[in-house]
Amino acid sequence: MEERATELSTYLRGWRGYFGFCQTPSVLTRLDKWLRHRLRSAMWKQWKRGNKRFAALRKRGIGLDLAAKTAGSPHGPWRLADSPALHYAFPNSYFDSLGLLRLTGGS
């Protein structure tokens, strides 16, 4: 994930430099949200199996019931990337700590 963040940051720096003064910052906000959603989905895919997903969620401080419900869910990675468990496990501050730039404001 650290490699992805550093590679994406180079692109985001260019995007922010070019589109940073646009008249519609809501477009950049939506793109920021989509990007973090995509990264959460990639992490979910990386864990592959239910027992590994459960253990990884528990390791990140997710409660027993929520981790079990999320790890055993039949839904796909894109839908689960918007679940409360993955938002708690990977908040925006996590991506900030990796050095991932934000297109709107922020670091």
Side-chain angles (χ1 to χ4, degrees), residues 11-96:
Y11 289 105
L12 294 176
R13 188 173 289 112
W15 274 63
R16 190 167 65 177
Y18 189 78
F19 294 108
F21 301 108
C22 67
Q23 299 282 326
T24 55
S26 63
V27 173
L28 296 179
T29 303
R30 284 197 317 263
L31 185 58
D32 251 353
K33 288 171 94 175
W34 181 88
L35 181 64
R36 281 157 178 71
H37 189 119
R38 180 77 172 107
L39 290 173
R40 287 184 187 103
S41 175
M43 282 303 293
W44 188 253
K45 283 184 192 178
Q46 193 174 1
W47 289 336
K48 297 203 187 276
R49 294 188 329 266
N51 55 358
K52 186 170 182 179
R53 289 173 174 170
F54 176 77
L57 287 173
R58 290 292 293 152
K59 188 174 157 184
R60 295 198 152 271
I62 306 303
L64 186 68
D65 291 338
L66 185 57
K69 183 178 173 185
T70 306
S73 175
H75 298 296
W78 186 253
R79 183 164 175 183
L80 284 174
D82 203 24
S83 71
L86 287 178
H87 274 278
Y88 295 144
F90 300 109
N92 287 343
S93 59
Y94 169 76
F95 296 114
D96 292 341

